[in-house]
Amino acid sequence: MKEKGVNYKPEYAKYFDHTKLYPEATTETIKLFCEQALEYEFAAVCVNPCHVKMTASLLKGSNVKTATVVGFPLGANTTNMKAAETKEAVENGAQEIDMVINIGAVKDDNWDYVEKDITAIIEAAGNADVKVIIETHALTDEEKVKVCKLAEKCGAKFVKTCSGFYGTGGATVEDVALMRKSVSENVLVKASTGIRTREDVDKLLAAGAVRFGSSAGPKVVDGD
């Protein structure tokens, strides 16, 4: 366990989904992330579906949740496949599901499809919370607002900025503020991608985010 310095602020830990979604992530890497999450008491560990069962086992009995992704990273899977992926993830121990919307359907103004897609995943998730990844890089502000409102209508727990695998840049203060304004207090905002420093976190917290998808949680908490 790393010695805590004078800049250590454990209150930041509750905001982090300690995230490792790169395809080259090994078993040992996931074990390390789980160990760090338990040490720091992060909100969750977010992993690819193949690592859910192991992650849930390693986190069992703790307050750290097991999160995974569905339709990741492009969102272009069929709705039936997304639902099946969700069901299996929950059966394997996932407590939170981060799903990617069908971006093409949004661009087509096919809001009926988008709604049915989100609803199917929420129904398949059962008691697991669903975070709807809207992929802010790909959408206009008008589309961002529409997707956020639709996600709330469908019963999502969170709206989330992006997957980290599409476009450039990361979560922005402007996008988080727009998303926060687009939903009621019943829906939370998760910012993801490019969140590496305590300054990043402070700005996004002020804009309305309450959860962060990042591997930099230890660095932020330690104040390095």
Side-chain angles (χ1 to χ4, degrees):
M1 183 179 294
K2 180 180 176 181
E3 184 177 347
K4 306 309 178 187
V6 295
N7 293 321
Y8 175 69
K9 289 190 176 181
E11 60 267 28
Y12 280 99
K14 64 184 178 182
Y15 299 116
F16 277 90
D17 288 354
H18 201 32
T19 302
K20 197 63 175 179
L21 296 171
Y22 291 157
E24 67 269 26
T26 64
T27 297
E28 288 306 310
T29 301
I30 301 303
K31 286 181 179 178
L32 173 62
F33 267 60
C34 289
E35 290 171 2
Q36 291 175 331
L38 291 169
E39 176 186 349
Y40 284 88
E41 298 183 331
F42 291 133
V45 175
C46 188
V47 296
N48 279 306
C50 63
H51 297 300
V52 166
K53 187 174 287 187
M54 178 182 70
T55 299
S57 177
L58 291 170
L59 299 177
K60 187 176 180 180
S62 76
N63 291 323
V64 183
K65 294 183 178 180
T66 299
T68 192
V69 288
V70 163
F72 193 83
L74 301 178
N77 312 55
T78 65
T79 298
N80 286 341
M81 288 301 296
K82 287 181 180 178
E85 193 175 13
T86 300
K87 288 179 181 177
E88 182 177 29
V90 172
E91 288 171 359
N92 286 338
Q95 297 158 294
E96 297 186 343
I97 302 292
D98 292 35
M99 68 157 291
V100 187
I101 63 166
N102 188 301
I103 301 163
V106 171
K107 293 298 180 181
D108 281 336
D109 278 332
N110 191 348
W111 296 102
D112 183 60
Y113 185 101
V114 178
E115 180 174 355
K116 288 179 179 177
D117 195 54
I118 296 172
T119 298
I121 278 58
I122 290 173
E123 290 178 350
N127 292 326
D129 289 336
V130 174
K131 309 184 193 107
V132 176
I133 304 172
I134 73 172
E135 207 64 270
T136 48
H137 304 102
L139 306 183
T140 66
D141 283 354
E142 182 181 2
E143 289 166 342
K144 294 168 193 174
V145 171
K146 285 185 177 180
V147 175
C148 285
K149 290 184 179 300
L150 194 57
E152 177 165 13
K153 177 185 176 183
C154 295
K157 181 67 175 179
F158 287 82
V159 287
K160 176 180 170 181
T161 56
C162 39
S163 67
F165 285 78
Y166 178 86
T168 58
T172 67
V173 168
E174 293 77 15
D175 279 337
V176 168
L178 180 64
M179 293 164 69
R180 181 63 271 163
K181 291 177 183 177
S182 300
V183 293
S184 76
E185 62 183 12
N186 296 321
V187 180
L188 307 176
V189 178
K190 177 178 174 179
S192 181
T193 308
I195 303 162
R196 301 183 181 91
T197 68
R198 193 174 284 179
E199 182 181 10
D200 294 334
V201 171
D202 287 341
K203 289 178 179 179
L204 293 167
L205 281 172
V210 295
R211 192 77 74 85
F212 302 101
S214 175
S215 61
K219 180 174 179 284
V220 171
V221 174
D222 289 337
D224 292 342

